[in-house]
Amino acid sequence: MIIGLIGTYCSGKGTVSEYLQKKGFYYLSLSDALREELKIRGLKETREHLIAFGNELRRTKGSNVLAKRIIKSIENDKNCIVDSIRNPDEAKAILGLKNAYLIWVDAPQKVRFERCLERKRKGDIKTFLQFKELEGKELKSKDKNAQQLLACKKLCKYKIINDSSVEKLSKKVDDLMKKIPQNFERPSWDEYFLNVAKVVATRSNCIKRKVAAVIVKDKRIVSTGYNGTPRGVKNCNEGGCPRCNSFGESGKGLEECLCSHAEENAIVQSAYHGIAVKDGELYTTFAPCLMCSKMIINAGIKKVVYNAEYPLNETANKLLKAAGIELVKVDLKKIGK
């Protein structure tokens, strides 16, 4: 889940953020990049400087530049809070992510001014007139790249009014979190094991093509394999296979290739360690070639799932189907879209 926090100055966004962090959320702020840049420029970290530099960045690099930067830091296995969203294009960029929601945090203006005086933060204003003038610049502007909090507010599906104690605010956060749907998506088993195979492929030492296979029984991985030269032989990327290192034409000279195929290695590895693969399922990043297909059939594997077509696998596919093996293509690129 990704929670984007938007709100007026001293409304309590920081308190909401700290409370959610205690519940396992990771904190990210669009303002962090601005603060680092101010240090580099030797400027004091005042709210005026943050606003001015943020507006400058949006004008020169796009109104959602800060959101784009922070999105690169978001990991899909963690719940995250994204703070300091102040432009509608930033808000839309966050909303474009899966399972993302925006929360508007607000409080009466005089209450917020009193909080501002109490916290005595570096760079905060000192008078109510200054407070109102600065807030007016944040709420709306004719410059589309400037802060536009009121426009951001319209994009927020959820709202919290923080006009009382911290305890009551925490209760409001708890109540709101119960209303937010848990719409995260889990990959199918085929997608899951194919993605594992793609990671295994990164271990391949073949300089022509990186391929991997994973053998599964009862939803449990029993063997993996990737293409490369045989055990104890110089790796392909170190010059171990003359054909690959000469970048020979695809489909020709295959009888001279010293690299073992991924499916071959997965099956051989299971035999080497005494693990049965009969009635198992094989997941491979490329459809099996004819040689590997014959090994798959004789090993008793009942299903083959692959991500991409192998250039020379028409005969192999026919053979697998003739042997009664279920053959499924899952295009991970299309699923990602």
Side-chain angles (χ1 to χ4, degrees):
M1 181 187 291
I2 299 166
I3 299 295
L5 292 177
I6 306 175
T8 49
Y9 192 31
C10 292
S11 59
K13 299 188 301 298
T15 306
V16 173
S17 169
E18 289 171 3
Y19 185 65
L20 288 174
Q21 286 177 70
K22 291 178 182 177
K23 292 177 174 289
F25 281 76
Y26 289 77
Y27 179 79
L28 297 167
S29 172
L30 272 65
S31 292
D32 287 344
L34 302 179
R35 293 188 177 94
E36 288 300 318
E37 186 63 26
L38 288 178
K39 288 181 183 178
I40 293 171
R41 297 187 181 193
L43 297 173
K44 290 183 179 180
E45 189 186 308
T46 65
R47 195 160 184 83
E48 290 86 350
H49 283 155
L50 286 169
I51 292 172
F53 182 54
N55 293 346
E56 177 189 325
L57 264 184
R58 295 187 193 99
R59 278 193 293 270
T60 57
K61 299 185 181 295
S63 53
N64 60 0
V65 59
L66 295 175
K68 282 184 175 180
R69 288 184 181 184
I70 213 70
I71 284 171
K72 292 178 182 178
S73 304
I74 293 175
E75 300 176 70
N76 60 12
D77 60 342
K78 296 179 174 68
N79 291 328
C80 292
I81 307 156
V82 181
D83 196 6
S84 303
I85 302 167
R86 296 188 172 92
N87 183 280
D89 286 339
E90 294 170 348
K92 290 173 184 176
I94 299 301
L95 277 179
L97 302 173
K98 288 184 178 179
N99 211 32
Y101 305 92
L102 299 180
I103 298 176
W104 173 259
V105 184
D106 206 350
Q109 193 177 54
K110 289 212 170 174
V111 172
R112 292 188 286 108
F113 174 63
E114 290 299 325
R115 290 174 184 164
C116 179
L117 294 179
E118 288 174 8
R119 71 183 186 180
K120 298 178 181 179
R121 182 180 292 179
K122 183 180 178 182
D124 273 348
I125 46 79
K126 304 298 181 185
T127 70
F128 189 50
L129 179 60
Q130 289 175 323
F131 186 89
K132 290 194 294 182
E133 288 177 351
L134 187 59
E135 181 163 88
K137 295 177 183 178
E138 296 180 342
L139 292 177
K140 59 182 179 179
S141 172
K142 293 180 180 179
D143 181 359
K144 69 173 185 177
N145 296 305
Q147 295 195 26
Q148 304 269 0
L149 287 182
L150 292 180
C152 292
K153 180 181 179 180
K154 293 178 181 178
L155 297 171
C156 296
K157 185 175 181 180
Y158 302 98
K159 296 177 177 62
I160 292 175
I161 301 301
N162 176 27
D163 56 358
S164 185
S165 65
V166 173
E167 290 74 20
K168 289 185 177 179
L169 174 61
S170 300
K171 177 65 166 55
K172 289 180 179 181
V173 173
D174 286 339
D175 291 342
L176 180 58
M177 293 303 291
K178 292 175 184 177
K179 297 177 183 177
I180 296 178
Q182 300 288 328
N183 290 328
F184 61 87
E185 297 177 2
R186 299 175 70 195
S188 68
W189 285 111
D190 285 352
E191 294 169 50
Y192 171 70
F193 288 120
L194 270 182
N195 275 306
V196 172
K198 286 180 75 67
V199 174
V200 174
T202 62
R203 280 288 302 168
S204 168
N205 64 64
C206 181
I207 66 172
K208 288 272 286 183
R209 179 186 285 119
K210 293 182 180 295
V211 185
V214 171
I215 300 176
V216 174
K217 290 190 72 174
D218 299 321
K219 303 293 187 293
R220 182 173 63 90
I221 295 173
V222 297
S223 181
T224 65
Y226 50 83
N227 62 324
T229 47
R231 188 192 307 271
V233 176
K234 185 187 293 186
N235 286 335
C236 179
N237 63 304
E238 298 170 336
C241 178
R243 176 187 174 272
C244 288
N245 281 268
S246 66
F247 288 93
E249 186 177 341
S250 295
K252 294 185 178 180
L254 296 177
E255 69 281 356
E256 298 176 359
C257 183
L258 301 185
C259 289
S260 299
H261 288 192
E263 301 91 336
E264 173 189 1
N265 274 336
I267 293 170
V268 171
Q269 282 298 311
S270 63
Y272 184 86
H273 293 287
I275 300 170
V277 296
K278 183 177 181 295
D279 295 326
E281 301 175 351
L282 185 142
Y283 293 83
T284 178
T285 54
F286 281 86
C289 69
L290 183 58
M291 179 192 72
C292 289
S293 294
K294 289 185 283 187
M295 293 185 70
I296 288 167
I297 293 168
N298 287 335
I301 289 168
K302 64 181 181 180
K303 178 181 177 181
V304 172
V305 182
Y306 66 97
N307 177 47
E309 299 287 351
Y310 182 69
L312 305 169
N313 69 323
E314 184 177 349
T315 302
N317 284 358
K318 289 180 180 179
L319 183 64
L320 289 168
K321 291 176 182 177
I325 292 176
E326 183 182 357
L327 189 61
V328 180
K329 180 180 180 180
V330 176
D331 192 333
L332 293 178
K333 286 184 179 179
K334 289 184 178 179
I335 292 171
K337 292 178 181 178

